[in-house]
Amino acid sequence: KNPEWLDEKIEQDKKRSSKTKTVYSKTEDKTILKLFFEGKTIVEISEVIGRTEKSVRMRLYRLNYGLKK
């Protein structure tokens, strides 16, 4: 049997991971591309749509507008 703290941590991680796997809607994709072509930064786009910078960067990449590092 796991210690109580470990069971709590596992439950927290399960809840957190389900939140991070939300699918982008077509509206979000359009908004991201619109803002991107307006010259907005990844940070600005992420603030507007309420996603992380990493998520926005990955979405742009998957939409074939990714930025090379």
Side-chain angles (χ1 to χ4, degrees):
K1 180 169 165 57
N2 293 330
E4 186 177 327
W5 67 268
L6 181 57
D7 289 335
E8 290 173 8
K9 175 72 171 131
I10 291 170
E11 286 304 312
Q12 288 173 351
D13 288 347
K14 284 181 185 177
K15 289 177 185 174
R16 184 178 310 128
S17 67
S18 66
K19 290 179 185 177
T20 60
K21 295 182 181 179
T22 57
V23 178
Y24 274 87
S25 69
K26 289 184 180 183
T27 304
E28 286 178 307
D29 284 346
K30 288 177 184 178
T31 302
I32 289 171
L33 290 175
K34 178 181 176 283
L35 294 171
F36 178 74
F37 287 120
E38 288 176 357
K40 302 292 184 192
T41 65
I42 301 292
V43 174
E44 292 169 325
I45 296 170
S46 69
E47 290 172 355
V48 169
I49 66 166
R51 302 273 189 151
T52 65
E53 294 171 37
K54 184 177 180 180
S55 175
V56 171
R57 187 175 288 111
M58 182 56 67
R59 192 61 186 169
L60 281 168
Y61 175 78
R62 290 184 176 151
L63 293 170
N64 293 320
Y65 293 100
L67 306 173
K68 293 186 178 183
K69 292 182 180 181

